Amino acid sequence: MILEMKVPSPGESIKEVEIATWLVKDGDYVEKDQAIAEVDSDKATLELPAEMSGVITLKAEEGDTVAVGAVVCLIDTDAAKPAGDAPAAPAAEAPKAEAPKAEAPKAEAPKAEVKAEAPKAAPAATSYAAGTPSPAARKILDEKNIAPATVSGTGKGGRITKDDAVNAVPSMGTPTGGSRGSERTKLSMLRRKVAERLVSAKNETAMLTTFNEVNMTPINQIRNEYKDAFKAKHGGLGLGFMSFFTKAVTRALELYPDVNSMMDGDYKIAYDFADISIAVSGPKGLMVPVVRNAELLTFRGIEAEIKRLALRARDGQITVDDMTGGTFTITNGGVFGSMLSTPIINPPQSGILGMHNIIERPIAVNGKVEIHPMMYVALSYDHRIIDGRESVGFLVAVKEALENPVELLMNGDAKRALEL
């Protein structure tokens, strides 16, 4: 029986996918549920499992764009599984034992080269003028910042002439033998879609960015005091910064609802919930899975959901549904060492918060200079729908919550908020 394998639908709005990589070769025997290909949509990369066991015949090439429902391969389910014996390996090794005999004549090559090189060394001392530039040549070499020793003279006795200096090319520090190759590869459909959306966000929104800084000392104190107990109580779950930032963002969105809205033609859509998109780096590039109803989640709930989504992104198991929606985005460039940046809005959303690295810096505290762990934060927003008052007020509200987390994020009781 010949089974036709068709491209399944990765999502409701997706009409076509691209064959990113075939994980098997034409004529291979595949087992049922074995991953045979990776396919890219404009939202995610998914694995295509074999529907039955048998010998596979590929009907599409890597890089081909195929419609959802199209046949991409055939599986002959009646084909017998081949026996996997491999006694041929030792035979293939045998010729290697003869290699030293073939090498023997090569040992003579260096002697021939030495004899050929010897006459070339003799002319080096033919004249005191060898390698010496004329006054005009020296001036030109100085202007070009070229050392005379790197120029071969063609004048009498090896003297460097004006023409030699004019024709001399400065060394760029790239000796012969270095790699000069290049490679042209097609971007994945996901990467192309990301690029399209980023350009669209820059061209179609009135994007501005406002900045502030956060003293991370209070959060560090809470984490240092409770992180071990939090991990022990919640099955190895870490108490990271993202739960604090997510809680601070959901609080600020309640205070400034315009930041939690988006444009739809001549209308504004406002949301009474906070679906927070969290930018994570995956093997196929940047992914932005969504933490649903983050305003209702506890610290433990946020950390657990972020960990689940991050693992799915890392393992290539993220789905379109995981990344669909979102009313506001948080991105953390600090994990890569970024000190300050202007994040790009994730359309159709109207705002994105950028976190950065934490650096100890001197700041004024009650009239005294103290050193504290500080982080710059940035809010990029669509000025068509969010005014300066709301954007600045939102970021200040985030700062206030992060600098006073026990009172503003934990209702005055850190242990209870962390479910300890």
Side-chain angles (χ1 to χ4, degrees):
M1 170 183 170
I2 302 297
L3 171 69
E4 293 183 339
M5 273 201 58
K6 300 178 180 180
V7 178
S9 175
E12 190 174 321
S13 62
I14 298 175
K15 304 300 182 186
E16 61 183 19
V17 298
E18 185 176 281
I19 306 297
T21 307
W22 281 111
L23 304 178
V24 295
K25 297 188 295 294
D26 196 55
D28 281 357
Y29 187 89
V30 298
E31 300 285 356
K32 182 180 179 181
D33 296 328
Q34 175 186 343
I36 60 174
E38 290 182 350
V39 295
D40 283 342
S41 72
D42 59 6
K43 294 184 178 179
T45 297
L46 307 171
E47 285 188 346
L48 188 65
E51 296 176 6
M52 295 291 288
S53 299
V55 173
I56 192 168
T57 301
L58 308 184
K59 291 295 183 182
E61 301 287 338
E62 289 185 0
D64 285 355
T65 299
V66 293
V68 170
V71 175
V72 289
C73 65
L74 305 176
I75 298 179
D76 183 357
T77 59
D78 294 330
K81 184 176 181 179
D85 50 354
E93 298 280 331
K96 296 183 180 177
E98 301 298 323
K101 296 180 181 179
E103 298 269 333
K106 295 182 181 178
E108 300 299 322
K111 295 180 181 179
E113 288 180 10
V114 171
K115 292 177 182 178
E117 292 285 332
K120 295 181 182 178
T126 54
S127 169
Y128 71 92
T132 302
S134 67
R138 180 175 293 281
K139 182 174 184 299
I140 294 171
L141 293 177
D142 289 344
E143 290 173 351
K144 290 185 172 184
N145 197 26
I146 298 176
T150 63
V151 181
S152 298
T154 61
K156 186 176 181 180
R159 192 176 185 86
I160 299 173
T161 65
K162 180 180 178 181
D163 287 341
D164 295 333
V166 169
N167 295 327
V169 178
S171 172
M172 300 306 291
T174 307
T176 58
S179 174
R180 299 285 295 168
S182 63
E183 183 180 6
R184 178 185 174 91
T185 57
K186 187 177 181 180
L187 295 176
S188 69
M189 184 177 287
L190 173 62
R191 190 76 239 178
R192 298 198 302 271
K193 188 63 176 180
V194 169
E196 178 185 320
R197 288 167 61 85
L198 292 176
V199 173
S200 173
K202 293 285 286 184
N203 292 340
E204 298 177 10
T205 64
M207 194 176 77
L208 272 72
T209 305
T210 184
F211 303 93
N212 215 314
E213 62 179 0
V214 177
N215 185 345
M216 299 296 290
T217 298
I219 291 178
N220 281 348
Q221 290 173 344
I222 293 173
R223 293 182 68 243
N224 291 338
E225 184 175 356
Y226 296 113
K227 64 182 180 182
D228 292 338
F230 187 86
K231 180 177 287 188
K233 178 68 179 292
H234 302 303
L237 196 63
L239 179 61
F241 292 110
M242 287 304 301
S243 55
F244 288 92
F245 274 83
T246 303
K247 296 288 283 185
V249 162
T250 58
R251 173 182 176 271
L253 290 175
E254 292 179 2
L255 297 174
Y256 298 93
D258 279 353
V259 183
N260 198 40
S261 59
M262 56 187 67
M263 294 281 291
D264 183 18
D266 293 333
Y267 294 86
K268 177 179 80 171
I269 302 175
Y271 300 95
D272 62 358
F273 57 88
D275 283 356
I276 305 300
S277 303
I278 306 290
V280 297
S281 181
K284 295 292 183 178
L286 187 68
M287 305 285 183
V288 195
V290 181
V291 177
R292 311 286 177 184
N293 285 108
E295 79 281 3
L296 303 179
L297 297 178
T298 63
F299 282 84
R300 178 184 63 82
I302 292 172
E303 292 290 354
E305 183 65 0
I306 290 175
K307 180 178 180 180
R308 182 186 74 85
L309 292 169
L311 289 175
R312 287 175 65 83
R314 184 198 66 186
D315 297 339
Q317 298 176 344
I318 205 80
T319 66
V320 174
D321 289 340
D322 290 328
M323 296 188 291
T324 300
T327 62
F328 186 88
T329 296
I330 302 175
T331 180
N332 185 6
V335 296
F336 305 111
S338 171
M339 178 180 176
L340 192 61
S341 67
T342 55
I344 298 178
I345 295 170
N346 180 21
Q349 297 173 20
S350 299
I352 179 171
L353 178 73
M355 301 166 56
H356 299 91
N357 62 354
I358 300 172
I359 297 178
E360 290 194 342
R361 291 192 283 110
I363 62 171
V365 179
N366 298 324
K368 296 181 180 179
V369 176
E370 298 181 5
I371 295 177
H372 286 270
M374 304 297 294
M375 176 193 286
Y376 288 118
V377 289
L379 172 71
S380 291
Y381 61 98
D382 189 346
H383 207 351
R384 296 178 303 166
I385 197 169
I386 303 171
D387 291 333
R389 175 183 174 276
E390 281 71 27
S391 63
V392 173
F394 173 89
L395 197 56
V396 169
V398 170
K399 170 185 169 69
E400 290 172 346
L402 294 172
E403 292 184 341
N404 192 5
V406 175
E407 180 180 343
L408 299 180
L409 300 179
M410 298 176 160
N411 294 322
D413 190 339
K415 292 186 68 175
R416 184 174 181 180
L418 298 175
E419 304 173 57
L420 299 178

